[in-house]
Amino acid sequence: MSSNPSSRFDPRGLALPGLVLALWWAATHFGLADTRIVAPPAEVLAVALHDVASGELLDGLLASLGRDLAGFALGSAAGLLLGALLAVSGLADRLVSPTLHAVKQVALFAWIPLISVWLGQDEAARVLFIGLAAFYPVLFNSHEGIRSVTRELAEVTRVFRFTARQRITRLILPAAAPQIFAGLHLALIYSWLATIGAEYFFKATPGVSTPLLDGRADFDMARVLYGMVVVGLVGAALNAIASRLEQRSLKWRRSR
């Protein structure tokens, strides 16, 4: 069986980043841009090498990824459990879903003042904020995925006298898996965005956002740009890992 074409590396994807890097170098090297606002690539690279050598990059990455994955796990577990409950219980769905859809309209960052009052500015507040970002995509995707199981398929399980556990493991979860994994994929992306927001708006703490905050305070554009590159690369890596895990987890569906 051939591999999924979407998982293959295409070097043509490097064309645009290469062009942007070339224009960036040219603009700063030939004086087309104010280097006080757009730092040269060499200065950004120097900042990166310093943080790698000093261990600051690794410490920040570990701190950010730790709170990111903790919030992702919390929000995803809550979203999956509640989504499954609403999908199998019509009464719970009618009672709870309208309120959930209304609360969903509240912008994520609007929760920061309330979370700060409840939990202060410490790690628990940051993890809860990140968990809230992961909660909704998993909730609604798992809800729709489980509800999409047709009555005909459910009737087959009754004919073969499946137990409740067999219905869940052999029918409901396999049928709903694509949407559940899509929700988890989105949740991982939203969790990383929320991680950056949490480090930015809550009390200062070690993390990948530290160069952005320090660079802004000192008007050090090389440090700001370095921080943006790190945040973007980590986000892209998380997205690639989520895509690969999703493809591998659903490989059995394509092989049927």
Side-chain angles (χ1 to χ4, degrees), residues 175-252:
Q179 284 191 264
I180 292 175
F181 276 103
L184 290 170
H185 190 162
L186 286 173
L188 188 60
I189 295 172
Y190 293 165
S191 295
W192 180 244
L193 297 177
T195 298
I196 305 307
E199 294 176 357
Y200 197 88
F201 287 104
F202 288 93
K203 184 174 66 176
T205 182
V208 295
S209 297
T210 300
L212 292 169
L213 298 173
D214 292 346
R216 182 191 64 174
D218 299 334
F219 204 73
D220 183 349
M221 292 308 299
R223 196 151 190 80
V224 170
L225 291 173
Y226 156 70
M228 292 178 64
V229 170
V230 171
V231 168
L233 289 177
V234 174
L238 289 174
N239 182 57
I241 292 170
S243 297
R244 180 60 61 89
L245 291 176
E246 183 177 357
Q247 290 170 8
R248 294 177 74 88
S249 299
L250 298 177
K251 187 177 180 180
W252 62 272

Side-chain angles (χ1 to χ4, degrees), residues 91-103:
L91 177 60
D93 194 14
R94 289 190 293 272
L95 289 175
V96 177
S97 287
T99 301
L100 283 173
H101 282 283
V103 175

Side-chain angles (χ1 to χ4, degrees), residues 48 52 56 64 121 125 133 136 159 169 171 174 224 231 252:
V52 170
E56 291 181 27
S64 293
Q121 296 279 317
Y136 287 109
V159 171
T169 59
L171 171 68
V224 170
V231 168
W252 62 272

Side-chain angles (χ1 to χ4, degrees), residues 153-173:
L153 286 175
E155 187 62 32
V156 170
T157 65
R158 296 190 186 94
V159 171
F160 285 96
R161 297 181 179 180
F162 280 15
T163 64
R165 180 178 179 181
Q166 288 174 324
R167 288 195 189 100
I168 294 173
T169 59
R170 297 187 183 182
L171 171 68
I172 295 176
L173 289 180

Side-chain angles (χ1 to χ4, degrees), residues 80-94 97 142-149 158 164 167-168 172-173 176:
L80 182 58
L81 291 174
L82 184 55
L85 173 64
L86 298 181
V88 301
S89 172
L91 177 60
D93 194 14
R94 289 190 293 272
S97 287
S142 60
H143 177 236
E144 290 302 320
I146 294 172
R147 282 189 61 187
S148 68
V149 179
R158 296 190 186 94
R167 288 195 189 100
I168 294 173
I172 295 176
L173 289 180

